[in-house]
Amino acid sequence: MSEQHETRPRVAVVFGGRNSEHSVSLLGAGSVLDVIDRSKYEVIPVGIAQDGRWVLVSDRQRYAIEGRELPSVDAEGTALALPSGSGTLVAYEPSRVPEELGRVDVVFPVMHGPFAEDGTLQGLLEMAGVRYVGSGVLASAVGMDKGYMKLVLAAAGLPVGPYVVIRDRDWRTDRQRVLKEVEELGWPVFVKPARAGSSQGISRAADLGELERAVEFAREHDPKVLVEAAIDGREIECAVLESPGDEAPRASLAGEVVVAGGHDFYDFEAKYISDATSVAVPADIPDDVAESLRAMAVRAFEALDCEGLARVDFFYTPDGRLIVNEINTMPGFTATSVAPRLWAASGLSYPELVDQLIQLALHRATGLR
């Protein structure tokens, strides 16, 4: 093993996971693996299969949508474990003695949704004493649960739209009360799983009949459901990046998501399958509004105690108000996803963004901070 090889930080790019955003994770991981500087880092690609098994993945594997076919991690591979406290990856293969693959310096979890972006993976890495890219346990958990996210954002003085949280027991035992609360929001409403991303399980409801069907659809992804009042406004997004040292987080230029092609809203099809969506950067909004939006994005980032990166989504209403829709602590991360595109337009290329996130994680203390 060469001296250069020994001194390069080892980065485990972890992707996949056992949730409905498995394939979206693979798309982002493929982009990261394409651009990460191999002269600077030793890279270990690790896939988490749909059954939860961690496997060592070929570095030559590339993931993309083929037609309408979404990629997935093949569970047939070398099984891995990350023993608590050691930060060392261990490989297990049938009829072979377990083999240590060496210490991991930082994990780059290009993962979304439950059991990935919600603090569970972050907690595992904290217990193992391994540095990782992105937000910690609390910020990840709050950012994943849209109901609690809105509570925290509102407590920080940020404007959020009207909403109702439908919990599993209430839907089963007190449905009429729940339906009445939602009806008071006015029609139409948008119904979504409380703890899912990538626009999975979202639908629009214009009356009680459509609402019940929409809730059942969202419950296929999560027994906890969020119902939001429709807001007349343009969808404007801003990315936030942690700064090194004691500097304040940085906000990107704002961009506007434009959905066409027969899509009523920014659903999974519009995001990943069709060509119906475009992002205009910078957004065509007044300069003072753009500055306010960027400042609010940083406030949202700090309100949740985020680290690494995030994307904050807003509505800009015809009467000039900015309303925070949500914050995403691990946004879509292909080279053409919104957050990387916002940073590219702000002067930070995708390879530079990947490198900065790894460096931020490498210089972050483990444990309480």
Side-chain angles (χ1 to χ4, degrees), residues 20 114 193 195-196 200-202 216-224:
S20 59
R195 297 164 293 193
Q200 297 274 17
I202 299 179
E216 292 297 347
F217 177 52
R219 282 168 55 84
E220 293 176 13
H221 297 268
D222 186 353
K224 185 177 181 180

Side-chain angles (χ1 to χ4, degrees), residues 224-246:
K224 185 177 181 180
V225 173
L226 184 79
V227 183
E228 297 173 317
I231 294 175
D232 179 18
R234 296 158 59 187
E235 293 189 43
I236 313 293
E237 305 191 349
C238 182
V240 182
L241 186 64
E242 179 187 356
S243 295
D246 295 327

Side-chain angles (χ1 to χ4, degrees), residues 35 40 239-244 249-253 281 294 308-310 333-360:
V35 303
K40 191 172 182 179
V240 182
L241 186 64
E242 179 187 356
S243 295
R250 295 164 283 167
S252 72
L253 293 172
V281 189
R294 295 173 74 238
L309 78 163
F333 209 70
T334 69
T336 58
S337 294
V338 174
R341 288 175 65 179
L342 292 174
W343 279 118
S346 305
L348 187 68
S349 71
Y350 185 65
E352 290 170 330
L353 176 60
V354 168
D355 184 71
Q356 285 201 20
L357 288 170
I358 295 171
Q359 287 297 315
L360 286 167

Side-chain angles (χ1 to χ4, degrees), residues 18-34:
R18 53 188 189 93
N19 60 47
S20 59
E21 297 176 72
H22 179 96
S23 298
V24 175
S25 167
L26 269 62
L27 300 177
S31 293
V32 171
L33 291 170
D34 277 341

Side-chain angles (χ1 to χ4, degrees), residues 53 75-80 91-99:
R53 188 181 314 175
E76 298 301 320
T78 302
L80 298 175
Y92 297 89
E93 291 190 76
S95 305
R96 289 186 60 181
V97 175
E99 174 189 2

